């Protein structure tokens, strides 16, 4: 897969930059924007994304997954999460995918992503994968609950470029598997990599806290839990949270 990478010293947000560029010109599948600093990095739920100048990976990838049905769009989250998790695995044990698509190291968050999908009829037309991975930052000052960086985990500074190249290579491999229809393999690996995949833990929904175990994740991304009293419950994004 040819990767076309644009490197910026600074931008407001790589997702926003990519969107704006796409409104002016055509960019090919797998175009990448990366930057050293975002003046207004976006996180999930309208939060901002903290990242110290020059320390971390901040990038957005454009995909054109025209072969993926809209109802299967969660596969895009799955392959992106797997690529990042596997890119980090060679540094330490303990990385997992916290449903739906945060990357954790033990109980701490090392990576967040913001995926924006566009549809054309029943199919996807484009996806913007906005990814922030904490690499060399020592101290986090925002109120993000439990951030961690690769440096804190390994004790050493790490080369951001090498990690970016690795993640993009693995992502391209998964994107190829997706194109070939290998959705079972993707699903199996995603489930195998899930945070808290075994055992009972506390979750919180609109009615409060409860203890449950993960049964699985449906193809549409719905998380299926089973409570200690054997009640099955399904949740879409943002309807339930892990109690950490
Ligand atoms: C989250 O809150 O977990 C999602 C964070 C996503 C951050 C990345 S950094 C690169 C891209 N550009 C943005 O403005 N956000 C995403």
């Amino acid at each position: 897969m040819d990767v076309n990478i644009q490197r910026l010293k600074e931008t407001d947000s790589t997702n926003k930059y990519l969107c704006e560029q796409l409104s002016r010109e055509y960019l090919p599948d797998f175009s990448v924007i990366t930057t050293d600093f975002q003046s207004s990095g976006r996180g999930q739920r309208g939060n901002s994304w903290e990242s110290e100048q020059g320390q971390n990976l901040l990038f957005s990838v454009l995909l054109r997954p025209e072969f993926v049905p809209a109802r299967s769009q969660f596969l895009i989250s799955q392959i992106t999460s797997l690529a990042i998790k596997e890119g980090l695995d060679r540094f330490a044990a303990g990385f997992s995918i916290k449903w739906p698509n945060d990357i954790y190291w033990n109980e701490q968050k090392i990576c967040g992503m913001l995926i924006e999908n566009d549809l054309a009829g029943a199919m996807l037309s484009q996806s913007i994968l906005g990814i922030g991975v904490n690499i060399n930052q020592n101290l986090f000052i925002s109120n993000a609950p439990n951030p961690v960086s690769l440096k804190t985990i390994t004790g050493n500074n790490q080369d951001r470029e090498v990690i970016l190249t690795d993640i993009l290579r693995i992502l391209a491999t998964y994107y190829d598997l997706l194109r070939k229809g290998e959705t079972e393999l993707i699903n199996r690996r995603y489930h195998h990599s899930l945070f808290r995949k075994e055992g009972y833990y506390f979750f919180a929904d609109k009615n409060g806290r409860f203890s449950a175990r993960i049964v699985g994740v449906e193809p549409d991304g719905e998380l299926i839990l089973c409570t200690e009293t054997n009640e099955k419950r399904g949740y879409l994004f943002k309807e339930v949270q892990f109690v950490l």
Side-chain angles (χ1 to χ4, degrees):
M1 168 85 61
D2 278 348
V3 185
N4 145 28
I5 303 190
Q6 294 180 63
R7 296 167 199 284
L8 310 172
K9 271 254 107 2
E10 175 175 345
T11 187
D12 45 6
S13 147
T14 54
N15 271 32
K16 184 152 176 266
Y17 186 93
L18 186 52
C19 272
E20 285 169 1
Q21 201 175 20
L22 280 166
S23 68
R24 292 188 304 269
E25 61 186 289
Y26 177 87
L27 294 172
D29 205 1
F30 229 89
S31 297
V32 179
I33 313 276
T34 174
T35 191
D36 285 335
F37 184 69
Q38 294 185 138
S39 53
S40 92
R42 301 170 176 181
Q44 289 162 16
R45 302 187 183 86
N47 289 326
S48 57
W49 181 252
E50 175 186 359
S51 181
E52 193 182 328
Q53 165 81 45
Q55 300 303 316
N56 302 315
L57 277 177
L58 301 165
F59 62 105
S60 296
V61 183
L62 168 72
L63 298 183
R64 298 190 174 280
E66 288 148 359
F67 50 90
V68 176
R71 65 181 148 73
S72 305
Q73 57 189 281
F74 188 61
L75 283 162
I76 301 293
S77 282
Q78 292 179 298
I79 63 167
T80 310
S81 306
L82 282 167
I84 297 162
K85 189 221 167 240
E86 289 176 21
L88 295 172
D89 278 341
R90 68 186 176 88
F91 291 96
F95 291 102
S96 65
I97 302 170
K98 177 169 160 283
W99 176 87
N101 56 12
D102 285 339
I103 307 301
Y104 264 52
W105 176 72
N106 296 334
E107 300 286 314
Q108 291 179 280
K109 178 162 166 172
I110 187 163
C111 164
M113 63 190 84
L114 205 57
I115 299 186
E116 300 171 56
N117 290 325
D118 283 356
L119 312 180
M123 306 300 272
L124 286 183
S125 55
Q126 75 173 36
S127 301
I128 292 180
L129 321 175
I131 298 162
V133 192
N134 299 329
I135 307 287
N136 292 322
Q137 186 159 339
N138 288 311
L139 208 69
F140 292 84
I141 50 176
S142 72
N143 57 358
N146 50 0
V148 70
S149 74
L150 201 50
K151 181 178 184 185
T152 319
I153 298 167
T154 62
N156 298 311
N157 273 311
Q158 303 295 343
D159 186 329
R160 292 181 296 150
E161 272 306 302
V162 171
I163 301 168
L164 177 62
T165 308
D166 244 31
I167 291 174
L168 292 175
R169 180 182 47 77
I170 304 170
L171 180 62
T173 307
Y174 274 113
Y175 195 38
D176 249 23
L177 287 172
L178 183 55
R179 196 189 300 275
K180 291 181 183 137
E182 296 277 0
T183 54
E184 263 181 44
L185 173 77
I186 294 167
N187 239 306
R188 204 163 51 239
R189 293 215 183 146
Y190 177 83
H191 276 88
H192 180 75
S193 304
L194 276 179
F195 174 72
R196 295 186 173 173
K197 68 174 187 283
E198 268 149 31
Y200 286 89
Y201 293 92
F202 279 102
F203 292 83
D205 67 8
K206 61 180 188 336
N207 300 315
R209 279 178 174 225
F210 59 98
S211 169
R213 67 179 168 83
I214 295 179
V215 176
V217 180
E218 294 285 298
D220 65 355
E222 192 185 12
L223 178 70
I224 311 294
L225 299 178
C226 181
T227 66
E228 296 208 31
T229 51
N230 235 5
E231 182 197 339
K232 284 234 173 91
R233 299 181 181 177
Y235 292 98
L236 294 172
F237 306 141
K238 299 174 190 169
E239 291 178 348
V240 71
Q241 283 180 0
F242 288 82
V243 175
L244 295 170

